Amino acid sequence: MRKKIILLLGLLVCVISFGASNVDNIGIIYEEDFRSVGVPEKDIIKAKEIISNASTKHKLLLLDRRQRELEINKYLLESPEKNWNKISLVFDEVGKIEAEILKNKLKSQIEVRKYINPEEYNNARAIAVKRIEENKKKKNENQ
């Protein structure tokens, strides 16, 4: 029951954070940056979907890891010597979650490359970096 409540709470946080995020961005890169380097609209949409799904999974895994860390802290407060076996098992679970986080990240990067190749990404990123630098200069001039 506790896991279900934490999972539901995590999903709620994810939904709220996605609703507040700018849907025209993939990181610092805007959709228009990808369009300007020739990425088709359907590929941008598919890449955003992959990134969104990976982000949701990542956030859920982080919540799961945090839950395990709290469990370890509880055992440490109660009695580390008495709970050593439990602590050891939970550390193993944390390791599995960390591995899953890394695999999820790599898998999503590989999937996105099917729709946005590294050259297109680097070119769009260069445009985004230039835009950010120009915005910083404007901000500094206005201050």
Side-chain angles (χ1 to χ4, degrees):
M1 181 68 175
R2 181 176 164 200
K3 287 183 181 181
K4 289 180 183 179
I5 291 172
I6 290 175
L7 181 63
L8 289 174
L9 187 61
L11 286 173
L12 179 64
V13 169
C14 291
V15 169
I16 291 170
S17 66
F18 282 126
S21 66
N22 187 341
V23 293
D24 292 334
N25 298 350
I26 298 178
I28 64 167
I29 305 171
Y30 293 171
E31 286 183 23
E32 64 192 46
D33 300 332
F34 286 117
R35 285 186 203 100
S36 70
V37 297
V39 178
E41 187 69 27
K42 65 181 174 71
D43 290 350
I44 294 170
I45 292 169
K46 189 64 179 169
K48 283 178 61 175
E49 181 182 313
I50 292 166
I51 291 167
S52 175
N53 291 340
S55 178
T56 300
K57 185 172 183 179
H58 179 79
K59 289 174 183 177
L60 291 172
L61 288 168
L62 289 177
L63 286 171
D64 197 23
R65 181 184 71 189
R66 183 65 184 139
Q67 178 184 354
R68 299 298 188 272
E69 290 168 350
L70 291 171
E71 192 175 344
I72 291 168
N73 287 339
K74 180 184 114 182
Y75 292 142
L76 289 172
L77 289 172
E78 288 174 356
S79 172
E81 297 83 12
K82 179 180 151 189
N83 293 316
W84 175 248
N85 289 335
K86 292 177 185 177
I87 293 170
S88 181
L89 290 173
V90 177
F91 269 124
D92 290 342
E93 291 173 11
V94 170
K96 289 177 186 177
I97 293 168
E98 288 291 334
E100 191 64 31
I101 289 171
L102 293 173
K103 289 189 286 186
N104 180 54
K105 183 178 178 181
L106 182 58
K107 183 179 177 185
S108 67
Q109 289 174 354
I110 291 168
E111 289 293 314
V112 168
R113 283 186 180 182
K114 293 177 183 177
Y115 302 97
I116 300 173
N117 69 46
E119 182 179 343
E120 292 169 331
Y121 176 82
N122 288 333
N123 292 339
R125 186 177 187 283
I127 292 168
V129 168
K130 184 177 178 181
R131 182 184 60 254
I132 290 168
E133 289 173 353
E134 288 173 359
N135 288 340
K136 282 183 182 179
K137 284 181 186 177
K138 288 178 186 176
K139 184 180 177 183
N140 289 336
E141 289 172 0
N142 291 334
Q143 288 180 349

